[in-house]
Amino acid sequence: FVLWTRLAPVPLAEDGFGGMPPRPFDVRWQVYADERCRRLVRTGVAVAAPEWGHSVHVELTGLDAGRDYWYRFRLGPYVSPVGRARTAPRRTSYGGPLAMAFVSCSQYEHGYFSAYRGVADEHPDLVLHLGDYQYEYAGSTYTAPGGNVRDHEGPETVTLAGYRQRHAQYKTDPDLRAAHEAAPWLVVWDDHEVDNNWAGLVPERPDRPQPDFPARREAAFRAYYENMPLRRASIPRGVDMRLYRRVRWGRMATFHMLDTRQYRDDQGCGDGYRDCPEAADPARSITGAPQEAWLLDGFRRSRARWDILGQQVFFAQRDNDAGPAKVTSQDAWDGYVASRRRITQGWIDAGVRNPVVLTGDVHAHWAADLKLDYDDPTGPAVGSELVTTSITSGGDGADSDPAAHPFLQINPHLRFYNNQRGYVITRVDRERLTADFKVVPTVREPGVAAYTRATFVVEDRVPGVQQTYLRPLDPTARVSGRMTVEDTVRWETERP
């Protein structure tokens, strides 16, 4: 795993240096075999350099497989909080069940990060952050329904100092820090780490005057690396940064972490929901050719029980027109249908045992069966997609009957929808992947507890998602996500 910290006694300093003088500092790191930090197993010194925002990245190797470790940092009289990390099982071993949480979209202004605290309380082995870790807007520019509960510092982020300040402000949140301290993270960006709906070297609004976008992208990439637990392979080089990578969790799972922003063709038909002929152009790609080839090769080489794609935008088709037109989001895989089909065919041809796509971006919980041909509703499922809602983005949202959403009626492969805030916690073992869709009742108040709104399972060698229902003691009672343990007698798994 990677140890990360940053020195910033004045984290919100406008110059982006966090109150640090412009010279390097030697930071001692310590790794322990116990939570009380009594059994020291590894220690060393890392340089926190001003040109990298006084951040520290330590890549550890040679530790025992499949066990917990605890770590902290020291600089003079200052000692960091203690964090927990976990090593993966040996490559030849499944290890025990993997507890993995995945999250997305935390707009600081839209609410309190109680969902991050919920993630920490789950004590996962691993956390995947699928993008929109922070938002670029100036204060009160992006307003949630009901108003924002707190404000961004500084103007819209376009400079290195601005991005550093924004990352630092997010890290002042105690719930976010608790989630970082609870487990190792695998991170990928989406759009708001740079600019809403950016694509390659094209900003959201090319027609709107703004600073040079390549320089803005370079600044955003550098600040992202400085503030995330990333390896040396991801050190940015100018406007380029290698973020897609593969992480193996023993024989249980292989995580293919994707970048669907840096190499994509620009969105078709002016972005948004469109019936767009460009979406079907076989030359268009959301991953770029080298990343696509890398992913398909990973499918062919994989011997994992579960192949999990950690990525940003909706993979399954979401047509919002009940008629003959196909009106879909040009920012998602729907805007790059040939790219999606090549990758789906790739895992079919490779005989991937259990392909599962994890997604963020859309500020709602979804579950879907994946198809090779979405125009044939009778065709078999060939994979599964689980989509996490936002941590806060969009404000509270509201609960509803998933079956009432028109998308589920138009797209029968879509199996679940919920518009509250929260996260997904999964349990991955040899027989099944179980996903609890967690929600919080509000983000307008701090310290609220998360609860399970719905549970889905993916059975080994059975593509597609199956919902697990709670059977009420009273057979006339309506099954709902708010039922308590006292309301239920047993679990029942079935296809809706």
Side-chain angles (χ1 to χ4, degrees), residues 16 28 43 73 77 122 126 134 151 169 179 182 211 223 227 262 313 400 415 434 481 492 494:
R28 178 161 294 279
T43 187
F73 299 90
E122 303 275 3
L126 191 64
Q134 57 93 42
D151 295 319
Q169 182 177 18
N227 284 279
Q262 186 174 180
V313 293
S400 62
R415 308 296 293 278
T434 303
E492 194 170 87
E494 61 178 323

Side-chain angles (χ1 to χ4, degrees), residues 3 27-31 42-46 58 60 72-73:
L3 305 182
V27 178
R28 178 161 294 279
W29 53 267
Q30 299 168 317
V31 177
R42 194 71 61 82
T43 187
V45 173
V58 179
L60 286 168
R72 64 185 178 187
F73 299 90

Side-chain angles (χ1 to χ4, degrees), residues 26-80:
D26 291 337
V27 178
R28 178 161 294 279
W29 53 267
Q30 299 168 317
V31 177
Y32 295 86
D34 66 307
E35 190 171 5
R36 295 185 177 183
C37 298
R38 293 176 176 175
R39 296 166 52 204
L40 182 67
V41 296
R42 194 71 61 82
T43 187
V45 173
V47 177
E51 58 266 31
W52 294 102
H54 291 100
S55 61
V56 172
H57 298 75
V58 179
E59 297 180 39
L60 286 168
T61 59
L63 298 173
D64 291 341
R67 63 151 297 167
D68 290 343
Y69 288 93
W70 289 263
Y71 64 93
R72 64 185 178 187
F73 299 90
R74 290 180 176 272
L75 176 60
Y78 304 103
V79 181
S80 76

Side-chain angles (χ1 to χ4, degrees), residues 87-106:
T87 52
R90 292 187 299 274
R91 290 198 174 196
T92 57
S93 170
Y94 286 100
L98 165 63
M100 180 267 295
F102 62 101
V103 298
S104 181
C105 301
S106 47

Side-chain angles (χ1 to χ4, degrees), residues 399-402 416 451-455 467-472 477-484 487-488 491:
D399 198 2
S400 62
D401 180 357
F416 177 70
Y451 64 91
T452 301
R453 176 60 180 82
T455 298
Q467 187 164 10
T468 298
Y469 290 93
L470 293 172
R471 171 65 62 87
R478 180 179 180 272
V479 177
S480 77
R482 294 181 180 273
M483 293 171 59
T484 66
D487 294 323
T488 63
W491 291 99

Side-chain angles (χ1 to χ4, degrees), residues 330-376:
Q330 299 309 295
D331 189 56
W333 288 81
D334 274 332
Y336 307 82
V337 295
S339 190
R340 175 174 63 197
R341 187 178 181 91
R342 289 192 298 268
I343 287 169
T344 306
Q345 188 69 59
W347 77 55
I348 295 172
D349 292 345
V352 169
R353 181 167 178 150
N354 293 301
V356 178
V357 178
L358 305 183
T359 301
D361 180 61
V362 292
H363 307 175
H365 283 318
W366 295 82
D369 296 342
L370 299 180
K371 304 291 189 80
L372 184 62
D373 182 4
Y374 292 97
D375 292 332
D376 178 9

Side-chain angles (χ1 to χ4, degrees), residues 196-417:
N196 181 53
N197 283 16
W198 67 282
L201 288 171
V202 181
E204 176 190 17
R205 293 284 305 277
D207 58 315
R208 185 181 65 185
Q210 64 165 302
D212 181 57
F213 186 72
R216 181 180 185 179
R217 181 174 128 165
E218 180 177 351
F221 284 12
R222 191 175 187 91
Y224 187 83
Y225 172 78
E226 291 172 352
N227 284 279
M228 293 294 170
L230 291 165
R231 296 180 181 273
R232 286 185 293 272
S234 293
I235 292 175
R237 292 169 174 82
V239 297
D240 299 315
M241 181 173 167
R242 173 69 178 265
L243 196 60
Y244 66 87
R245 61 206 187 278
R246 217 171 337 263
V247 175
R248 294 177 176 85
W249 196 268
R251 295 181 63 189
M252 187 71 77
T254 295
F255 292 92
H256 309 268
M257 306 300 291
L258 304 187
D259 178 353
T260 63
R261 287 290 167 190
Q262 186 174 180
Y263 313 106
R264 67 159 69 190
D265 293 296
D266 192 18
Q267 295 91 341
C269 301
D271 207 348
Y273 271 82
R274 302 281 191 273
D275 184 3
C276 181
E278 292 179 40
D281 183 348
R284 288 171 50 76
S285 174
I286 195 172
T287 62
Q291 184 179 192
E292 181 179 303
W294 165 88
L295 180 58
L296 297 179
D297 181 65
F299 290 154
R300 290 188 290 269
R301 294 173 179 269
S302 178
R303 299 296 179 269
R305 181 63 58 98
W306 302 88
D307 278 87
I308 299 173
L309 279 65
Q311 59 93 49
Q312 296 79 12
V313 293
F314 218 98
F315 194 87
Q317 179 175 289
R318 286 193 306 163
D319 185 359
N320 76 353
D321 186 277
K326 186 174 290 184
V327 180
T328 57
S329 170
Q330 299 309 295
D331 189 56
W333 288 81
D334 274 332
Y336 307 82
V337 295
S339 190
R340 175 174 63 197
R341 187 178 181 91
R342 289 192 298 268
I343 287 169
T344 306
Q345 188 69 59
W347 77 55
I348 295 172
D349 292 345
V352 169
R353 181 167 178 150
N354 293 301
V356 178
V357 178
L358 305 183
T359 301
D361 180 61
V362 292
H363 307 175
H365 283 318
W366 295 82
D369 296 342
L370 299 180
K371 304 291 189 80
L372 184 62
D373 182 4
Y374 292 97
D375 292 332
D376 178 9
T378 66
V382 297
S384 312
E385 182 172 20
L386 303 170
V387 183
T388 182
T389 187
S390 62
I391 293 290
T392 56
S393 302
D396 281 342
D399 198 2
S400 62
D401 180 357
H405 196 291
F407 277 17
L408 273 69
Q409 300 169 28
I410 298 169
N411 306 272
H413 56 276
L414 300 179
R415 308 296 293 278
F416 177 70
Y417 165 82

